[in-house]
Amino acid sequence: MSRLEEFARLARQLEAERRDAAKAVPLIVTDPERFLDEPLRREWLTLGMVEALCSAARTELVRSPERSLHIAQLATTIAEALVESYPRLIRVQVQAQAWKAMSNAHRLASRHPAALLALDVADRRIADEPALAHDRATLALARAITLREMDRTAEALLLLEGSREVFRNHRDLRQVAQCDLVIGMTHHRTGRFAEARQAFMRVIPVARAEDDLHTMAAAYNNLGRAAADAGDLNASVDALQQARSIFRELEMPTEIARTNWSIGVAQLSAARFDSAIGMLSEVRAELLKLGMPEEAGLAGVDLIEALLATNARAAARDLAVTIVEEFRNARLNERALQALSYLRETADVATAETAHQIGTYLRRLTNEPALLFVAPDRNR
Amino acid sequence: MRMAQSSNRSYTLDYGLMSVHLSAETRSDGELAATYEAHFDLLVGIAVSRFGIDRADAETLAHEVFLAFLTCVDRINDQRAWLVSAIFNASKNYVRRAQRTEPLPEDGRDPADPRYARAGQQWPDVLAAREAFARLTPRCQLALRLRHLEGYTIPEIATILGTTSKYAAKLVGRCLDQAQRRYGGGGAS
């Protein structure tokens, strides 16, 4: 068989496998963990199935990282069991994709060491393949995102520059935009707001040209946050409103609530306390309605900060009492409960700065669940 | 200065990353074969003329670039640019690796790999072990792969599987038992 014939046969086979996988995957997604404990069905051992499961794992990421992890584990097992009639290069390519899907699920659940270990396996699979430079750049981007979340920003930036170059050479503008988005977020985390804003600005025209509304909204959202931190309230609210209108178009209520939250925080930063109180109250109610008690609690702490800044101590204390109850009922992190209880006990004397410090602690706790709570100095 | 990172740090980004796959449009195998035919010689030419790679190896590289292209074609906007860039990267990588390898002497002996000295006798065992492994559950295949093929420790396996070390150790032990039973001709668990 000539190479062209082999290629055409594979293309046909892949198309058929994708059609079959599209029928099988919805069943798996309903309860993926169950299928991890049943023998693998032979008809599932296809490349199309691995692709479809990786895609399903991506879709489930935001809804449920655990479900996404189980789907990715299934994809990985299938990818590793693919028969040798597939060319070796394609097998290792999809194996790397499946390990990356597993890494993503771990990262979304803030299990960063696990995410890096899974990426190590993915890297090993394709390290020796000259033709997979684009895939290696994709893995490097995933690693950079993980490292950024672990505050290993210098390593993240180095990887991002390398990946961006490979994507740029391939004229893969979407991935270039993703790199810029992460570069901006990395600069933002290190307090380099001007560089962050420049990176986010680079993303917007590309995402618009590609009609990629998700990335455009993400860029506006991050741009708004960076502008707020740079003290540029007008630019911040403009950008956040742009993000919000895109999220509305995409019908993403959680992102709309989060963007409103960012607007409320920007107003709080600019000492526009009345507007901040109105906005944050609405956001908190919306987050509770959406079944997100942890984020509603965090928004509540921002609201307490605004209330304390306007000396509305009774309202601040009442809210602290409510949040402690919500956290207790939702069985959220004990240390978070300890910090919130401290805020409740000290609401009569606490300053807005105290609430701010507790909010900062709670946000760090999301990434560092073992971080000890140390009561802020009340006299400061 | 207050940092305005109010919401969870990664969600917006992940929506962005996810969207890469949302607008895929499927190319027919006929179109793909036409793309192959239209660009194959160009890619081989680049590998030969720009990187001095011999024709046979250049053709293998170009073919591999097309195989890589096959699984991501729906996400590629500019196919020609993607293919040209891919062959440039592949050729650079190939040349770098070639510089690190040392050719065997022309008149030297080419001894057989000692691992295959008893290949004839080992094959039945290898095949039986593979078959036993293939009949395990996905969870067991993954656990045993991590332990015995990737060489991870129990705490590392626990990390990757998102569980405790105690459970991971128990899982590996149980899966090994299951595999041994099947290797010995046992039925389903």
Side-chain angles (χ1 to χ4, degrees):
Chain A
M1 190 189 293
S2 76
R3 283 184 163 137
L4 173 59
E5 283 165 350
E6 186 205 12
F7 179 79
R9 182 190 60 77
L10 256 173
R12 270 195 305 279
Q13 182 182 335
L14 192 52
E15 218 174 290
E17 288 176 2
R18 284 172 176 155
R19 274 196 303 272
D20 291 342
K23 289 177 213 152
V25 166
L27 168 74
I28 294 169
V29 171
T30 56
D31 185 8
E33 195 176 8
R34 173 164 76 89
F35 293 100
L36 285 175
D37 293 315
E38 289 181 5
L40 268 180
R41 300 184 191 178
R42 283 199 186 271
E43 68 269 23
W44 288 358
L45 297 178
T46 68
L47 202 123
M49 193 68 180
V50 180
E51 280 186 352
L53 285 172
C54 287
S55 171
R58 228 170 3 246
T59 307
E60 286 299 315
L61 264 182
V62 188
R63 291 182 207 151
S64 163
E66 280 317 294
R67 193 191 294 268
S68 174
L69 177 64
H70 294 141
I71 298 171
Q73 286 175 339
L74 202 56
T76 307
T77 313
I78 294 174
E80 295 286 356
L82 286 177
V83 291
E84 286 167 17
S85 57
Y86 290 107
R88 187 193 124 74
L89 183 108
I90 290 195
R91 275 187 285 133
V92 294
Q93 189 184 27
V94 296
Q95 284 162 8
Q97 283 168 14
W99 284 101
K100 182 168 87 74
M102 202 190 295
S103 169
N104 280 342
H106 280 306
R107 181 174 59 77
L108 259 281
S110 297
R111 291 190 293 262
H112 296 111
L116 291 181
L117 281 173
L119 282 177
D120 288 345
V121 184
D123 279 336
R124 281 203 294 275
R125 290 289 179 276
I126 59 172
D128 292 332
E129 300 298 338
L132 297 181
H134 188 274
D135 294 73
R136 277 191 291 278
T138 306
L139 292 182
L141 171 59
R143 187 177 290 274
I145 294 169
T146 310
L147 292 172
R148 185 195 71 83
E149 290 183 7
M150 297 169 83
D151 280 335
R152 289 164 62 177
T153 50
E155 293 164 82
L157 281 173
L158 205 63
L159 287 172
L160 286 164
E161 279 161 21
S163 292
R164 190 179 188 283
E165 183 64 16
V166 174
F167 294 138
R168 199 180 59 81
N169 288 341
H170 282 77
R171 302 230 185 115
D172 187 343
L173 298 181
R174 278 175 181 251
Q175 290 289 67
V176 170
Q178 296 302 329
C179 285
D180 280 332
L181 199 56
V182 188
I183 288 170
M185 292 166 86
T186 310
H187 285 314
H188 189 178
R189 179 159 284 205
T190 53
R192 295 163 70 177
F193 303 129
E195 287 93 334
R197 289 170 79 178
Q198 282 167 6
F200 296 137
M201 295 287 278
R202 284 199 301 270
V203 176
I204 293 166
V206 177
R208 183 174 289 127
E210 298 276 319
D211 203 21
D212 182 355
L213 291 180
H214 292 92
T215 302
M216 199 151 82
Y220 272 123
N221 201 355
N222 286 297
L223 180 62
R225 292 178 190 184
D229 288 337
D232 189 349
L233 181 71
N234 289 336
S236 168
V237 173
D238 279 353
L240 291 169
Q241 282 172 343
Q242 292 273 14
R244 184 174 56 188
S245 71
I246 300 170
F247 285 133
R248 276 191 183 136
E249 200 176 328
L250 293 168
E251 295 179 15
M252 296 169 78
T254 55
E255 289 309 310
I256 295 167
R258 287 191 178 116
T259 310
N260 280 333
W261 185 2
S262 297
I263 293 173
V265 171
Q267 287 165 336
L268 181 57
S269 304
R272 295 186 183 174
F273 299 120
D274 289 339
S275 314
I277 289 169
M279 180 62 89
L280 290 169
S281 301
E282 279 176 33
V283 166
R284 205 179 113 67
E286 186 60 23
L287 289 169
L288 283 172
K289 207 169 96 187
L290 290 165
M292 300 160 74
E294 191 169 4
E295 295 192 278
L298 285 171
V301 174
D302 291 334
L303 180 53
I304 291 173
E305 183 182 338
L307 291 168
L308 289 175
T310 55
N311 214 21
R313 293 198 173 275
R317 189 181 49 245
D318 290 349
L319 182 55
V321 170
T322 310
I323 296 172
V324 168
E325 273 314 297
E326 285 166 4
F327 262 56
R328 188 168 285 138
N329 292 340
R331 296 177 191 279
L332 294 174
N333 187 312
E334 273 299 315
R335 294 186 201 280
L337 203 56
Q338 197 185 350
L340 287 165
S341 301
Y342 174 84
L343 190 56
R344 179 190 61 189
E345 302 307 326
T346 59
D348 287 335
V349 289
T351 60
E353 181 58 22
T354 312
H356 179 63
Q357 285 178 22
I358 287 175
T360 305
Y361 167 75
L362 292 172
R363 283 180 191 105
R364 281 187 64 193
L365 206 56
T366 331
N367 275 341
E368 304 165 63
L371 189 68
L372 284 174
F373 173 65
V374 180
D377 181 359
R378 264 189 258 169
N379 299 320
R380 197 162 52 182
Chain B
M1 187 176 287
R2 151 183 262 287
M3 294 285 276
Q5 291 182 330
S6 51
S7 62
N8 188 310
R9 75 263 168 262
S10 45
Y11 282 87
T12 44
L13 172 67
D14 290 308
Y15 280 124
L17 290 177
M18 211 163 62
S19 65
V20 169
H21 301 269
L22 293 180
S23 59
E25 71 182 69
T26 308
R27 267 82 169 176
S28 73
D29 57 286
E31 279 176 73
L32 289 169
T35 307
Y36 189 105
E37 273 197 291
H39 293 89
F40 186 78
D41 287 341
L42 170 70
L43 301 198
V44 173
I46 290 171
V48 171
S49 62
R50 299 288 291 266
F51 294 91
I53 297 172
D54 74 61
R55 189 161 186 90
D57 286 352
E59 285 180 0
T60 302
L61 270 185
H63 183 65
E64 289 193 338
V65 162
F66 274 106
L67 291 179
F69 168 82
L70 193 55
T71 62
C72 56
V73 61
D74 294 337
R75 304 193 292 268
I76 297 171
N77 282 340
D78 186 338
Q79 294 187 353
R80 188 183 169 88
W82 194 97
L83 289 166
V84 168
S85 182
I87 196 69
F88 261 86
N89 276 300
S91 301
K92 266 192 269 182
N93 197 302
Y94 175 91
V95 170
R96 221 177 9 246
R97 283 159 50 103
Q99 283 165 350
R100 289 202 301 259
T101 56
E102 223 170 279
L104 288 168
E106 293 278 330
D107 55 350
R109 293 185 60 205
D110 186 9
D113 188 331
R115 286 175 301 175
Y116 298 110
R118 292 175 51 239
Q121 291 115 299
Q122 286 169 340
W123 263 117
D125 283 348
V126 171
L127 290 174
R130 277 191 192 178
E131 180 62 24
F133 186 80
R135 288 166 61 197
L136 296 176
T137 64
R139 201 189 295 277
C140 276
Q141 287 191 31
L142 198 54
L144 293 185
R145 176 173 299 282
L146 288 168
R147 183 76 187 101
H148 297 290
L149 298 176
E150 302 297 332
Y152 281 117
T153 63
I154 292 292
E156 286 170 332
I157 294 169
T159 305
I160 296 180
L161 296 181
T163 183
T164 62
S165 289
K166 202 172 160 189
Y167 176 77
K170 211 167 133 184
L171 178 68
V172 169
R174 183 165 54 81
C175 294
L176 206 52
D177 283 348
Q178 207 181 90
Q180 277 165 348
R181 276 200 309 278
R182 289 186 175 168
Y183 180 75
S189 60

